[in-house]
Amino acid sequence: MTGGRRGGGLTAKWRTFTGLPAGLKVLIGLSFVVAFGSYMVTPFIGVLMVEAVGLDIRVAGVLVAVATFIQFGGSILGGTVVDRLGLKRTMVLALTLRTAGLVLLGLAVQVPWVAYPAVVLVAAGPALYLPANKAYIVTSVSDELRPLFLGVSSAALNAGMGLGPLLAALLIDADPVVLLIGLAGLFALITAAHQAALKPVGLRPVAAPAAAGTERGTGNRAALRGALRPVLFTALAFYLYFFFQSFMGLYAAGVSNIQVLGWVMLLNCAMVVVLQPALADRIARADYRLLVVGSFALMALGMGAMALGSTPALLAGTALFTFGEIFLFLRCDLELVDRVPGNPAFAFGVQRLTAGIGGLLAGVVGGFVFAHYEAVGDLGTFWLVVAAQCAGAALLALLLLGGRRRPAVPELPVAEPAVAR
């Protein structure tokens, strides 16, 4: 574990990063590459299903919704898989599943029924990978450094999420099969890099070793009973976010051109990369209710701007939406990890389960709402509907949440690295 106190400036934070163990620095770098490869295909799944595979837009919307639920909701199994395989082996397994899914997705262009197992495998990879990835980071640093390095991890992921769609938007019209098979090759290399570079790490106990196993599972469930409101607002946040992620490509193609999606995603992710690590400590200390209310309000303003449809409006709306995202999602991570001490893989699995529920609802609801406004030739109103929901979430947070600040979590010893199981 890396300890020490956080410095206030960027130079001090950079020194802290350079002092990390080599394996952890490699993982943060690989997180960028994983997100880069993933987001060369993830935002385009709906477009690929409709234009390359030939599915009806409603069927594609439901398929995207199911895939989103698997990708996020399936992460609730991450804690169980980590307990059996360890963090490193779980990440390697997850990357292997995504590699196989990309190969099948390339074949689906010629054999459409293959799209169904392909999308399941593509979604199952992140379901296991991301909770293990974040748990590896949380386990490897002190509690004091947790907000900073969750922010750094998020920055690495978002840098890949921004650059991946920008490149893919230039390539997808040429030959989607070549793109997908090329990405499968990239993920095979990423899988090998994880296997070679990472070392197994042990979980950080919050009590005596005898408290593990069944007692830890009971404690997790008891902790979650006291975290129902944070879980609710995490689900709402992801529900609203997935309208942006899942339908921006189809909207851009309808009102402008698909290449605009690359710039929108680049702006979204660049803002997260630059601002979230820098603001991590302030986000962790902020009044919980005001932060959540303000974040949803910013999202509402952003969605309203997107309804105008022009490229400048899309970029301005994305910027407003992203400010809300920067504040909200890091705090959601911190709230859930605080309430499930000692088992970050389970905490992040719960977080991603709420994301899966939100994404599933957004895909199903959004698919039918988008199809309705597309049929009447008024796509801009789609975003006004989403903006109204963001405003409703802000009002709900104002009514239900108290002004809680994150409590200090006592420093805990780190277990010796576990033997691979």
Side-chain angles (χ1 to χ4, degrees):
M1 178 186 68
T2 299
R5 297 190 64 81
R6 292 186 298 264
L10 292 176
T11 302
K13 290 177 179 178
W14 174 250
R15 285 199 300 268
T16 302
F17 176 76
T18 57
L20 292 176
L24 183 55
K25 287 189 285 190
V26 169
L27 180 62
I28 291 173
L30 286 172
S31 298
F32 162 77
V33 183
V34 169
F36 176 80
S38 296
Y39 275 77
M40 287 185 72
V41 65
T42 298
F44 300 95
I45 286 288
V47 177
L48 285 168
M49 293 298 98
V50 173
E51 297 186 0
V53 179
L55 298 182
D56 177 80
I57 190 170
R58 292 172 178 81
V59 175
V62 172
L63 185 58
V64 169
V66 171
T68 301
F69 180 75
I70 293 171
Q71 178 174 340
F72 288 86
S75 293
I76 195 64
L77 301 176
T80 301
V81 176
V82 165
D83 284 342
R84 292 184 176 275
L85 299 182
L87 293 169
K88 174 184 172 178
R89 287 187 174 183
T90 299
M91 285 187 275
V92 170
L93 171 63
L95 291 167
T96 302
L97 292 176
R98 171 149 269 201
T99 303
L102 288 168
V103 172
L104 291 180
L105 199 57
L107 295 176
V109 175
Q110 299 297 325
V111 187
W113 68 266
V114 176
Y116 299 100
V119 169
V120 170
L121 287 174
V122 167
L128 298 180
Y129 180 83
L130 285 171
N133 176 289
K134 288 187 174 183
Y136 193 102
I137 292 169
V138 167
T139 301
S140 301
V141 302
S142 69
D143 296 308
E144 188 181 15
L145 291 171
R146 181 188 296 163
L148 173 61
F149 282 101
L150 280 177
V152 169
S153 170
S154 179
L157 291 167
N158 277 275
M161 288 166 61
L163 293 174
L166 185 63
L167 178 59
L170 302 175
L171 301 176
I172 195 167
D173 287 335
D175 191 339
V177 175
V178 172
L179 173 63
L180 292 167
I181 298 302
L183 285 173
L186 174 63
F187 270 89
L189 293 175
I190 294 170
T191 305
H194 277 71
Q195 178 63 37
L198 300 187
K199 296 180 179 179
V201 298
L203 295 176
R204 298 167 57 191
V206 294
T214 302
E215 293 181 18
R216 183 173 70 181
T218 303
N220 289 339
R221 291 190 292 272
L224 287 177
R225 283 196 293 270
L228 294 180
R229 289 178 183 177
V231 168
L232 168 64
F233 285 101
T234 301
L236 275 174
F238 278 104
Y239 167 72
L240 296 166
Y241 172 78
F242 276 107
F243 280 98
F244 170 76
Q245 185 183 84
S246 300
F247 295 97
M248 180 54 72
L250 291 169
Y251 180 68
V255 302
S256 180
N257 60 73
I258 192 64
Q259 281 74 26
V260 173
L261 176 63
W263 295 107
V264 164
M265 295 301 294
L266 179 63
L267 175 63
N268 172 256
C269 298
M271 288 178 64
V272 177
V273 168
V274 172
L275 296 177
Q276 197 167 68
L279 298 174
D281 292 344
R282 292 188 177 125
I283 292 169
R285 294 192 303 266
D287 181 273
Y288 183 39
R289 177 170 58 182
L290 292 180
L291 182 140
V292 174
V293 171
S295 297
F296 282 129
L298 286 169
M299 288 180 167
L301 291 173
M303 294 295 188
M306 290 175 196
L308 298 176
S310 66
T311 298
L314 288 177
L315 294 174
T318 297
L320 287 169
F321 180 87
T322 303
F323 274 116
E325 175 190 346
I326 286 167
F327 302 139
L328 190 56
F329 284 114
L330 178 58
R331 187 57 180 265
C332 287
D333 281 357
L334 294 170
E335 288 294 321
L336 286 174
V337 172
D338 279 348
R339 287 169 167 80
V340 190
N343 195 351
F346 176 78
F348 289 120
V350 170
Q351 182 248 24
R352 289 181 62 80
L353 174 61
T354 63
I357 294 170
L360 177 64
L361 291 174
V364 173
V365 173
F368 285 92
V369 173
F370 190 93
H372 168 74
Y373 286 111
E374 182 181 49
V376 300
D378 188 17
L379 285 178
T381 304
F382 172 81
W383 296 111
L384 294 179
V385 172
V386 182
Q389 294 178 85
C390 292
L395 179 60
L396 190 64
L398 186 63
L399 295 174
L400 294 185
L401 290 181
R404 177 182 177 272
R405 295 179 183 273
R406 288 182 66 237
V409 181
E411 186 62 33
L412 302 168
V414 181
E416 291 298 321
V419 177
R421 289 168 289 178

